[in-house]
Amino acid sequence: SFLLGAFLIQFTIGVQWIHQLITSLVVYAICLVLPPKMAKTVVPIFVMVYMCAAHLHRQYTNYLGYDMDFSGTQMVITQKLYMFAYNLHDGHELKNGRGDRAAKKCSKFALKELPGLIEFLGYTFCFSNVLAGPAAEFTTYSTACDGTLLYNADGKPKGKIPSAVMPTLKALLQSLFHLGLFVFLGGMYPILDPTDPQKNTPAVISETLLSQPWVNRYVYLWLSLLGLRQKYYFAWKNAEGALNIWYAGFEGFDDDGKAIGWGNSVNINIFPFETASNIQTLSKEWNKRTSLWLTRYVYIRTGGSLMAVYGMSAFWHGFYPGYYLFFMSIPLLTMCERMGRKKISPYFSDKAWGPYDIFCKLVTSFFVEYTVSTFPLLSYTWTIALWKSHYFFGHIGAIVFYIAMMFTPSPKKKDKKE
């Protein structure tokens, strides 16, 4: 696993894979020398500082560029090493009867002892997810490798072992489909200027597009972002199939011996994401494993601090202004959504795909596409120019809606019948 993973990174980005090896060896040494209670603090600080340095190096040497370098794979390994340190700490605490609430919640991922170096490198360089994720805990990897995911200690199956053919083939075909969509939509509706994406004015704010009516400009932006997402769908579905083929994506069996599913490899539920009726669903379905990492190892470890989650997510992504403009804008939409759910939703049916649900899906897509357009543009100047070309409708509309909801009375709660 280690050798194949190293080969894949060497094939894609060259000798820069040495950064993944360095961080892996340093973290292993930290966990070997320091007590788990200290390592679970030192390791996250080390990997995040290294990650931030990688992002800054990329911005300095290739500003606004999308050339592949080690920062992409470093983002994946950062999650793995971050989780690994906490899993060791949880195992040590639980073994000594001192596990806190967070450790108990993540007890199934706890490690009783430090694994061997080769096994550890096999995990960090796992060929199935080393390039694009999704990152998972060490136990998810190790139980698939040693067979304990499927078999008891006596060698008997824990249940009826499902075939991996269809889960693998389905993910592969989906990845190829979305690759085709990316090529088609990306060619028809590029966000950046294809001739020189780093220096030339992006296509979404080009003079040609700005001369068209606003509806045309918004439809172009919507389609360009849809096309951009296809490359993520391709990468994640491809990795999903690569994990499923050797049962690393399989979740195991329940107490009755029934197969649970293949959720360990799923990083995106495409249809629920594309048809989400609220931001909470969008966040839940997009980059699912990163969301779980933030939930298990940031949110619940900091007493439920959303600021810690948003801050960690921002630093993990990098330092381009476009990222922070998004992270500063999305809370405004979230507040509006909560106000709407409190003061408007009770008057309508909550039936899935009912008239009100469809309306919510359209509104969510309309405003979120405007807000998330900052991510691919990266630049502050380009982002503000794009928002300006759309008259800042996302921000203005959200502020007006929120103020209106402040003066709107909440519906009376229905009396419960005894």
Side-chain angles (χ1 to χ4, degrees):
S1 179
F2 164 60
L3 294 177
L4 185 52
F7 168 77
L8 286 175
I9 306 178
Q10 172 69 35
F11 182 77
T12 53
I13 62 175
V15 295
Q16 293 184 47
W17 68 272
I18 194 68
H19 291 283
Q20 278 72 48
L21 181 60
I22 291 172
T23 47
S24 295
L25 293 177
V26 169
V27 166
Y28 190 83
I30 291 173
C31 294
L32 188 64
V33 174
L34 297 181
K37 187 174 182 179
M38 189 178 297
K40 63 101 174 177
T41 301
V42 176
V43 169
I45 292 175
F46 168 70
V47 294
M48 285 304 299
V49 169
Y50 205 104
M51 181 75 264
C52 291
H55 285 312
L56 291 172
H57 174 267
R58 177 186 177 90
Q59 285 184 228
Y60 179 76
T61 59
N62 189 30
Y63 189 67
L64 299 180
Y66 276 92
D67 299 340
M68 287 190 69
D69 73 347
F70 76 96
S71 63
T73 51
Q74 194 68 34
M75 293 172 75
V76 178
I77 206 170
T78 293
Q79 291 186 19
K80 289 184 177 183
L81 298 175
Y82 197 113
M83 293 187 291
F84 183 81
Y86 268 101
N87 296 152
L88 271 178
H89 169 261
D90 292 346
H92 181 266
E93 292 296 297
L94 292 171
K95 184 172 65 175
N96 292 283
R98 298 193 302 264
D100 58 10
R101 180 168 167 266
K104 291 175 181 177
K105 278 192 172 183
C106 300
S107 59
K108 69 176 181 178
F109 307 114
L111 298 174
K112 296 181 180 179
E113 58 184 9
L114 184 69
L117 178 60
I118 299 301
E119 189 179 10
F120 172 75
L121 291 176
Y123 163 65
T124 59
F125 279 81
C126 177
F127 67 94
S128 300
N129 58 11
V130 70
L131 293 177
E137 285 82 359
F138 180 84
T139 53
T140 302
Y141 165 81
S142 62
T143 55
C145 285
D146 60 23
T148 55
L149 176 70
L150 305 175
Y151 300 95
N152 292 310
D154 58 5
K156 294 182 179 180
K158 294 181 177 180
K160 184 179 180 181
I161 301 175
S163 171
V165 174
M166 286 309 297
T168 302
L169 187 60
K170 179 183 177 182
L172 173 62
L173 294 176
Q174 280 183 299
S175 72
L176 295 177
F177 171 75
H178 290 290
L179 175 61
L181 275 182
F182 171 66
V183 173
F184 173 73
L185 291 174
M188 292 288 291
Y189 306 99
I191 292 179
L192 305 175
D193 187 336
T195 58
D196 192 344
Q198 285 180 262
K199 297 180 180 179
N200 292 351
T201 301
V204 288
I205 52 173
S206 63
E207 292 184 4
T208 302
L209 189 62
L210 292 180
S211 64
Q212 297 184 25
W214 174 77
V215 173
N216 292 9
R217 299 201 304 272
Y218 181 81
V219 170
Y220 183 98
L221 176 65
W222 194 92
L223 289 171
S224 66
L225 290 171
L226 176 64
L228 181 67
R229 289 196 293 276
Q230 303 308 309
K231 71 176 182 181
Y232 296 99
Y233 297 163
F234 160 71
W236 288 336
K237 286 299 175 182
N238 189 276
E240 183 179 325
L243 288 165
N244 289 345
I245 197 170
W246 59 287
Y247 287 91
F250 184 56
E251 296 175 275
F253 303 93
D254 60 19
D255 295 335
D256 297 324
K258 295 181 180 179
I260 298 175
W262 298 81
N264 284 339
S265 60
V266 176
N267 209 28
I268 178 71
N269 287 323
I270 298 173
F271 186 74
F273 174 81
E274 292 290 349
T275 59
S277 57
N278 54 70
I279 295 173
Q280 183 180 8
T281 301
L282 284 172
S283 301
K284 180 182 177 182
E285 302 299 344
W286 174 266
N287 207 350
K288 292 169 70 71
R289 302 305 302 188
T290 295
S291 180
L292 287 174
W293 166 59
L294 292 171
T295 300
R296 292 171 180 167
Y297 303 99
V298 180
Y299 183 74
I300 66 174
R301 309 287 175 160
T302 57
S305 173
L306 287 176
M307 289 298 295
V309 172
Y310 286 134
M312 182 66 72
S313 182
F315 287 135
W316 181 75
H317 279 93
F319 297 98
Y320 278 112
Y323 299 153
Y324 293 86
L325 288 171
F326 168 78
F327 285 116
M328 288 188 294
S329 299
I330 202 66
L332 177 60
L333 296 184
T334 303
M335 290 190 297
C336 290
E337 178 185 297
R338 289 174 179 173
M339 289 288 277
R341 188 183 300 119
K342 178 182 178 182
K343 298 192 175 185
I344 298 178
S345 295
Y347 293 109
F348 298 92
S349 169
D350 58 357
K351 180 182 178 181
W353 291 99
Y356 181 67
D357 185 53
I358 293 175
F359 173 76
C360 290
K361 294 178 188 296
L362 294 174
V363 171
T364 299
S365 177
F366 183 66
F367 280 90
V368 170
E369 296 293 353
Y370 159 88
T371 309
V372 81
S373 60
T374 65
F375 252 72
L377 292 179
L378 303 177
S379 164
Y380 174 84
T381 304
W382 288 350
T383 296
I384 297 301
L386 176 65
W387 280 350
K388 184 179 179 180
S389 71
H390 290 280
Y391 314 110
F392 294 98
F393 78 82
H395 293 86
I396 295 174
I399 293 172
V400 170
F401 177 83
Y402 189 81
I403 294 175
M405 288 297 100
M406 289 177 62
F407 296 97
T408 301
S410 298
K412 295 181 180 180
K413 293 183 180 180
K414 297 180 180 179
D415 296 332
K416 295 181 179 180
K417 295 182 180 180
E418 296 184 2

